[in-house]
Amino acid sequence: MRRIFLILLLVAACVSQSVWYERFQQSKDLPHPPISISLADSEVFSFAMVGDLHVANGNTERLQTILTQAANEGDQFIILLGDIVDQGDKESFEAVETAIRNGGFEGKVLPLLGHQDMFANGWDEFKSKWGASHYAITLGNSRFLALDSADGII
């Protein structure tokens, strides 16, 4: 009985505090992420895509490695495909933001919301840093659509 109770407490602590239709309504009034990407060639450019970073307890070592590699390969921006943080906590979102800034990619990130990002008050943290959970951006000759599928619904 004790083991079941502990599991229920753990599951209850990992519940999202938002639902898709509320995020959709809120996102209509939010700006897209602050982007300041300048492409040298609007026809040919490269970018990195990474998902499931699961940054926890402020540990951004994997993200820093990815940012360094992206910079070394000449990527002009990075798309974060959700589950950026593991528990939706402020400390982890701030650690990601610091790593991005220190890695030279501030204003050069297109973030997508993942289900892990919503745990606790994660949606509030996400929107305070990056804005809308769905948006469209044109870069060069390409249009990027960010869809909020964090609840498994598009």
Short mmCIF file of all heavy atoms in Angstrom, two decimals, residues 8 10 12 14 21 24-25 30 47 52 57 60 77 79 82 95 99 101 110 115 119 132 152:
data_model
loop_
_atom_site.label_atom_id
_atom_site.label_comp_id
_atom_site.label_asym_id
_atom_site.label_seq_id
_atom_site.Cartn_x
_atom_site.Cartn_y
_atom_site.Cartn_z
N LEU A 8 1.47 7.22 -6.67
CA LEU A 8 0.41 8.19 -6.92
C LEU A 8 0.88 9.61 -6.64
O LEU A 8 0.55 10.53 -7.38
CB LEU A 8 -0.83 7.86 -6.09
CG LEU A 8 -1.61 6.62 -6.53
CD1 LEU A 8 -2.74 6.35 -5.54
CD2 LEU A 8 -2.14 6.79 -7.93
N LEU A 10 3.95 10.72 -6.91
CA LEU A 10 4.87 11.05 -7.99
C LEU A 10 4.11 11.43 -9.25
O LEU A 10 4.40 12.43 -9.89
CB LEU A 10 5.83 9.89 -8.26
CG LEU A 10 6.82 10.09 -9.39
CD1 LEU A 10 7.74 11.26 -9.08
CD2 LEU A 10 7.62 8.83 -9.62
N ALA A 12 1.02 12.50 -9.48
CA ALA A 12 0.31 13.75 -9.24
C ALA A 12 1.24 14.95 -9.34
O ALA A 12 0.84 16.02 -9.81
CB ALA A 12 -0.34 13.72 -7.86
N CYS A 14 3.64 15.27 -11.40
CA CYS A 14 4.06 15.42 -12.79
C CYS A 14 2.92 15.81 -13.71
O CYS A 14 3.02 15.69 -14.92
CB CYS A 14 4.70 14.13 -13.29
SG CYS A 14 6.23 13.73 -12.44
N TYR A 21 -6.59 23.60 -25.36
CA TYR A 21 -7.46 24.67 -25.84
C TYR A 21 -7.20 25.98 -25.09
O TYR A 21 -7.35 27.05 -25.67
CB TYR A 21 -8.94 24.27 -25.78
CG TYR A 21 -9.43 23.77 -24.44
CD1 TYR A 21 -9.85 24.64 -23.46
CD2 TYR A 21 -9.45 22.40 -24.17
CE1 TYR A 21 -10.29 24.17 -22.23
CE2 TYR A 21 -9.89 21.93 -22.95
CZ TYR A 21 -10.31 22.82 -21.98
OH TYR A 21 -10.74 22.36 -20.77
N PHE A 24 -4.00 27.28 -26.71
CA PHE A 24 -4.30 27.79 -28.04
C PHE A 24 -4.90 29.19 -27.95
O PHE A 24 -4.48 30.10 -28.66
CB PHE A 24 -5.26 26.83 -28.77
CG PHE A 24 -5.53 27.24 -30.18
CD1 PHE A 24 -4.63 26.94 -31.18
CD2 PHE A 24 -6.68 27.94 -30.51
CE1 PHE A 24 -4.87 27.33 -32.49
CE2 PHE A 24 -6.93 28.33 -31.81
CZ PHE A 24 -6.03 28.03 -32.81
N GLN A 25 -5.86 29.37 -27.06
CA GLN A 25 -6.48 30.69 -26.90
C GLN A 25 -5.47 31.72 -26.41
O GLN A 25 -5.42 32.84 -26.93
CB GLN A 25 -7.66 30.60 -25.92
CG GLN A 25 -8.86 29.88 -26.47
CD GLN A 25 -9.41 30.55 -27.71
OE1 GLN A 25 -9.51 31.76 -27.82
NE2 GLN A 25 -9.77 29.74 -28.70
N LEU A 30 -0.26 36.00 -27.87
CA LEU A 30 1.15 36.06 -27.50
C LEU A 30 2.01 36.23 -28.75
O LEU A 30 1.67 35.72 -29.82
CB LEU A 30 1.57 34.78 -26.77
CG LEU A 30 0.96 34.53 -25.40
CD1 LEU A 30 1.28 33.11 -24.92
CD2 LEU A 30 1.48 35.55 -24.41
N PHE A 47 20.48 24.61 -40.39
CA PHE A 47 20.02 24.75 -39.01
C PHE A 47 20.07 23.40 -38.34
O PHE A 47 20.12 22.36 -39.00
CB PHE A 47 18.62 25.36 -38.94
CG PHE A 47 17.56 24.59 -39.68
CD1 PHE A 47 16.81 23.63 -39.03
CD2 PHE A 47 17.32 24.85 -41.03
CE1 PHE A 47 15.83 22.92 -39.71
CE2 PHE A 47 16.35 24.15 -41.72
CZ PHE A 47 15.60 23.18 -41.06
N ASP A 52 13.86 16.41 -27.15
CA ASP A 52 14.00 15.62 -25.92
C ASP A 52 15.30 15.88 -25.18
O ASP A 52 15.98 14.95 -24.76
CB ASP A 52 13.82 14.13 -26.21
CG ASP A 52 12.43 13.83 -26.72
OD1 ASP A 52 11.49 13.94 -25.91
OD2 ASP A 52 12.29 13.51 -27.91
N ASN A 57 17.50 19.92 -13.26
CA ASN A 57 18.40 20.40 -12.21
C ASN A 57 19.46 21.35 -12.75
O ASN A 57 20.59 21.38 -12.26
CB ASN A 57 19.07 19.22 -11.50
CG ASN A 57 18.06 18.27 -10.90
OD1 ASN A 57 17.09 18.71 -10.29
ND2 ASN A 57 18.27 16.99 -11.08
N THR A 60 22.83 21.53 -18.29
CA THR A 60 22.70 21.78 -19.72
C THR A 60 23.89 21.24 -20.52
O THR A 60 24.15 21.69 -21.63
CB THR A 60 22.56 23.29 -20.00
OG1 THR A 60 23.72 23.95 -19.49
CG2 THR A 60 21.31 23.87 -19.37
N PHE A 77 20.52 28.75 -36.99
CA PHE A 77 19.54 28.73 -35.91
C PHE A 77 19.30 27.28 -35.49
O PHE A 77 19.77 26.35 -36.13
CB PHE A 77 18.24 29.44 -36.28
CG PHE A 77 17.51 28.88 -37.47
CD1 PHE A 77 16.49 27.96 -37.32
CD2 PHE A 77 17.83 29.30 -38.75
CE1 PHE A 77 15.82 27.46 -38.41
CE2 PHE A 77 17.16 28.81 -39.86
CZ PHE A 77 16.14 27.89 -39.69
N ILE A 79 16.22 24.53 -33.91
CA ILE A 79 14.83 24.23 -33.59
C ILE A 79 14.83 23.23 -32.44
O ILE A 79 15.46 22.18 -32.53
CB ILE A 79 14.09 23.65 -34.81
CG1 ILE A 79 14.10 24.66 -35.96
CG2 ILE A 79 12.66 23.26 -34.42
CD1 ILE A 79 13.50 24.13 -37.25
N GLY A 82 10.67 20.22 -28.52
CA GLY A 82 9.86 19.85 -27.36
C GLY A 82 10.61 19.01 -26.34
O GLY A 82 11.70 18.51 -26.61
N ALA A 95 18.17 27.75 -17.05
CA ALA A 95 19.45 27.15 -17.43
C ALA A 95 19.53 27.00 -18.95
O ALA A 95 20.58 27.25 -19.56
CB ALA A 95 19.63 25.80 -16.74
N ALA A 99 22.27 28.83 -21.37
CA ALA A 99 23.10 28.04 -22.27
C ALA A 99 22.96 28.54 -23.71
O ALA A 99 23.96 28.66 -24.44
CB ALA A 99 22.74 26.57 -22.19
N ARG A 101 22.10 31.59 -24.68
CA ARG A 101 22.77 32.90 -24.75
C ARG A 101 24.28 32.72 -24.79
O ARG A 101 24.97 33.29 -25.64
CB ARG A 101 22.35 33.76 -23.55
CG ARG A 101 22.90 35.17 -23.58
CD ARG A 101 22.37 36.07 -22.45
NE ARG A 101 22.34 35.45 -21.13
CZ ARG A 101 21.22 34.99 -20.53
NH1 ARG A 101 20.06 35.06 -21.14
NH2 ARG A 101 21.28 34.43 -19.34
N LEU A 110 14.01 28.38 -32.38
CA LEU A 110 12.58 28.19 -32.58
C LEU A 110 12.16 27.05 -31.65
O LEU A 110 12.43 25.88 -31.93
CB LEU A 110 12.28 27.81 -34.03
CG LEU A 110 12.76 28.77 -35.11
CD1 LEU A 110 12.40 28.25 -36.48
CD2 LEU A 110 12.19 30.16 -34.89
N HIS A 115 5.37 17.78 -24.00
CA HIS A 115 4.54 17.46 -22.83
C HIS A 115 5.33 17.59 -21.53
O HIS A 115 4.80 18.01 -20.52
CB HIS A 115 3.89 16.08 -22.97
CG HIS A 115 4.80 14.93 -22.78
ND1 HIS A 115 5.71 14.52 -23.73
CD2 HIS A 115 4.97 14.10 -21.73
CE1 HIS A 115 6.38 13.49 -23.28
NE2 HIS A 115 5.95 13.22 -22.07
N PHE A 119 4.82 20.22 -17.33
CA PHE A 119 4.65 19.79 -15.95
C PHE A 119 4.77 20.98 -15.01
O PHE A 119 5.44 21.97 -15.32
CB PHE A 119 5.67 18.72 -15.58
CG PHE A 119 5.45 17.39 -16.25
CD1 PHE A 119 6.48 16.48 -16.34
CD2 PHE A 119 4.23 17.04 -16.78
CE1 PHE A 119 6.29 15.25 -16.95
CE2 PHE A 119 4.02 15.82 -17.40
CZ PHE A 119 5.05 14.92 -17.48
N ALA A 132 4.17 32.28 -27.71
CA ALA A 132 3.13 31.37 -28.19
C ALA A 132 3.61 29.92 -28.31
O ALA A 132 4.79 29.66 -28.56
CB ALA A 132 2.62 31.84 -29.54
N GLY A 152 -0.63 15.62 -27.25
CA GLY A 152 -0.86 14.54 -28.19
C GLY A 152 -1.95 14.85 -29.20
O GLY A 152 -2.45 13.98 -29.89
#
